[in-house]
Amino acid sequence: MGFTAKKVRGMRDVLPPESEKWIYIQKVMGDSASFFGFMSVRTPIAEFTELFCRSAGETSDVVQKEMYTFEDKGGRSLSLRPECTAGTLRAVIENESSLIFPVKLMYFGPCFRYEKPQSGRQREFFQFGLEIFGGSSVMADFEIIRTADYIFKKLGINDIILEINSMGCEDCRKNYRNSILNFFNEKVNKLCKICQERINKNPLRILDCKEKTCQEICSEAPSIVDFICNNCKEQFEELKSYLEITEIKYKVNAHIVRGLDYYTKTVFEFTINTNGYDLTVCGGGRYDGLSKKMGGQDLAATGFAIGIERVISIMEEQRIEFPKLKSRGLYIVCLNKESKICAVKIAEELRESGISVDLNLTEQSIKSQAKFADKMGYRYLLILGENEINKGVCNVKRMSDGIEFEIAIDDNFCDNFINKCECIL
């Protein structure tokens, strides 16, 4: 039976012109983060499995159900990263001596989770994220949120809502956990099967369940805001004051707990209502205790991640125009050996002057090449046929209106070309 190349389920190809949207979004996000002082970091796609077990939590859905885990030839358990925070923090811990704290980092790359493919979330999905390490002040939480808000405004996304909450410190969470455990134990038979399993493992996760029956029960659950200590309350009020100063609209949502175990104190989500359903576009918060849990120093940390596929989907739904593809400069049509040699020389000279040039890569007729150039959006067509070579000229056609003119192939060719072909640079 013959082999037929086929992509893996839950993973997709991104080809032109869609790929241009990705490039644009990554540039806007990267430029925005740089504007706020963030620097780029890259980490491996695969890490030791224990890294994610320690960071996300043994009882998390990510660790229990969704990770791509495999054993390498050395018998070590590795996993494709399900998110980027753990790997970024691992890199900071291992390279601590070469960094100046507080350090502000940004990343962009693929993550992998084995779950049912759905709109805006495939098994391979891309995240853009920011992390601040060593920023113990509430100002770090504000800067993270402010940068995310700035990015969404730059992209032109409308009707996005910031929801914030405080999960309190470790002591606050212990008290709240006991209260929430008692509450859900009284309603255990009404919860979905997954949440029934969560009760003794991690009852806070029930608050994050998307099942309608569980959401109705959670609406009556005790609020963590009533359990946080005075210090955590003061910090939460401080964050709100910064948001109000900068006129960033927000609402407090006491049921935001995020899906990973490492979050403490500030947590937040940027959501948008699409087709009657609240979709999370960006999520993050503070995770001060994670570094120590992973063998590093006691390091304050806060960050967020944005799903690129969801951003594109929302922008398309809101009919936000992506910048049009930059018009291609010049396409050179040539057929025989002599004209090809001449084309290479011309292309080299023009490229050195900063002009984008593409050469004919086929043996097609001049007419076919001209049709190709038109479809691809080239602004100018330069033809080197037998007649042109014999006369020592090239024929240039402006594609927008069909106007043609000749340029002598001599020592002044490049200057003459630039003067006649306005706005091509």
Side-chain angles (χ1 to χ4, degrees):
M1 189 174 180
F3 169 75
T4 302
K6 188 178 181 181
K7 68 176 180 290
V8 177
R9 183 170 185 256
M11 301 184 187
R12 60 186 296 265
D13 305 308
V14 180
L15 300 170
E18 183 186 359
S19 57
E20 297 294 328
K21 297 179 181 179
W22 286 68
I23 292 170
Y24 167 70
I25 287 173
Q26 185 177 353
K27 186 176 188 308
V28 170
M29 290 181 172
D31 289 349
S32 299
S34 294
F35 183 70
F36 280 83
F38 289 85
M39 297 175 289
S40 183
V41 63
R42 294 190 178 188
T43 59
I45 289 177
E47 301 272 5
F48 289 115
T49 301
E50 187 179 2
L51 177 74
F52 302 117
C53 292
R54 285 183 174 273
S55 61
E58 293 279 3
T59 62
S60 68
D61 289 346
V62 170
V63 171
Q64 289 193 332
K65 304 175 183 178
E66 298 172 1
M67 286 206 301
Y68 276 89
T69 299
F70 58 95
E71 191 174 281
D72 70 3
K73 292 182 179 180
R76 294 164 292 233
S77 179
L78 304 181
S79 293
L80 300 181
R81 62 187 182 199
E83 51 90 29
C84 294
T85 295
T88 303
L89 178 53
R90 190 268 312 145
V92 167
I93 292 171
E94 284 197 283
N95 298 278
E96 179 185 330
S97 61
S98 65
L99 298 171
I100 300 173
F101 293 91
V103 60
K104 302 168 78 174
L105 300 175
M106 63 172 154
Y107 54 77
F108 177 90
C111 298
F112 303 84
R113 294 187 188 181
Y114 191 86
E115 55 186 337
K116 185 179 179 180
Q118 54 186 296
S119 176
R121 170 62 65 85
Q122 298 289 312
R123 287 173 176 170
E124 179 192 34
F125 57 97
F126 283 74
Q127 286 188 343
F128 175 86
L130 303 182
E131 314 286 353
I132 299 178
F133 299 105
S136 56
S137 165
V138 177
M139 191 68 75
D141 297 345
F142 165 71
E143 278 287 89
I144 280 286
I145 293 173
R146 178 68 184 93
T147 309
D149 179 74
Y150 183 87
I151 286 171
F152 292 128
K153 284 183 169 66
K154 279 290 183 181
L155 291 172
I157 295 176
N158 300 311
D159 303 321
I160 199 158
I161 299 169
L162 168 63
E163 300 184 5
I164 61 174
N165 189 25
S166 175
M167 295 181 68
C169 60
E170 193 172 337
D171 290 336
C172 300
R173 290 180 68 169
K174 284 180 182 177
N175 295 331
Y176 182 59
R177 187 184 187 281
N178 292 333
S179 175
I180 207 80
L181 182 60
N182 292 333
F183 173 81
F184 285 128
N185 273 330
E186 293 175 0
K187 305 176 184 298
V188 62
N189 293 329
K190 296 180 180 179
L191 296 172
C192 70
K193 289 184 178 180
I194 294 175
C195 286
Q196 288 176 8
E197 296 174 1
R198 285 172 171 164
I199 281 186
N200 294 317
K201 294 178 181 178
N202 194 338
L204 292 181
R205 280 281 157 69
I206 300 173
L207 297 172
D208 204 35
C209 182
K210 306 304 181 190
E211 291 291 333
K212 187 176 181 180
T213 52
C214 292
Q215 287 183 338
E216 290 173 354
I217 293 171
C218 290
S219 65
E220 301 173 0
S223 170
I224 194 168
V225 176
D226 297 329
F227 290 80
I228 59 176
C229 64
N230 289 333
N231 184 49
C232 290
K233 283 181 181 178
E234 288 175 8
Q235 291 181 352
F236 194 46
E237 291 303 314
E238 183 182 349
L239 172 63
K240 289 194 281 187
S241 70
Y242 296 148
L243 296 174
E244 288 159 9
I245 289 170
T246 50
E247 298 182 350
I248 298 176
K249 295 181 180 179
Y250 69 88
K251 69 177 183 179
V252 176
N253 182 347
H255 292 146
I256 294 178
V257 295
R258 302 298 299 144
L260 303 170
D261 283 355
Y262 51 62
Y263 286 108
T264 60
K265 298 184 180 178
T266 301
V267 287
F268 65 90
E269 292 180 351
F270 281 86
T271 64
I272 194 163
N273 189 280
T274 175
N275 299 320
Y277 177 75
D278 288 333
L279 192 67
T280 300
V281 187
C282 168
R286 181 167 284 276
Y287 52 100
D288 291 345
L290 185 56
S291 176
K292 200 169 184 180
K293 192 176 179 181
M294 288 168 51
Q297 63 167 310
D298 196 1
L299 186 64
T302 185
F304 73 67
I306 297 175
I308 303 301
E309 289 90 345
R310 285 189 176 177
V311 168
I312 292 175
S313 175
I314 289 165
M315 290 178 69
E316 290 174 340
E317 186 176 312
Q318 293 190 356
R319 301 183 184 278
I320 297 171
E321 284 193 20
F322 290 85
K324 292 182 180 179
L325 298 179
K326 184 179 179 181
S327 296
R328 295 168 181 262
L330 173 71
Y331 184 81
I332 299 180
V333 174
C334 50
L335 288 177
N336 57 35
K337 185 177 181 180
E338 189 177 359
S339 65
K340 289 178 181 178
I341 291 172
C342 184
V344 168
K345 291 178 180 178
I346 288 175
E348 197 66 16
E349 187 176 352
L350 291 175
R351 284 168 176 167
E352 286 180 0
S353 297
I355 297 173
S356 172
V357 180
D358 266 7
L359 293 167
N360 166 39
L361 307 179
T362 71
E363 302 296 334
Q364 292 179 316
S365 67
I366 289 179
K367 186 176 180 180
S368 295
Q369 291 180 49
K371 285 184 178 179
F372 170 80
D374 185 46
K375 287 181 179 179
M376 294 300 293
Y378 289 92
R379 299 192 64 198
Y380 289 90
L381 193 67
L382 189 151
I383 299 172
L384 289 170
E386 187 175 346
N387 292 335
E388 286 80 12
I389 294 296
N390 290 335
K391 290 171 61 177
V393 300
C394 63
N395 183 275
V396 179
K397 179 179 179 181
R398 190 165 62 194
M399 302 298 282
S400 60
D401 54 17
I403 291 178
E404 297 185 24
F405 46 87
E406 288 186 349
I407 301 178
I409 303 173
D410 55 22
D411 292 342
N412 297 317
F413 168 77
C414 191
D415 291 337
N416 291 334
F417 180 88
I418 291 171
N419 289 332
K420 287 198 173 186
C421 301
E422 72 281 358
C423 303
I424 196 170
L425 290 175

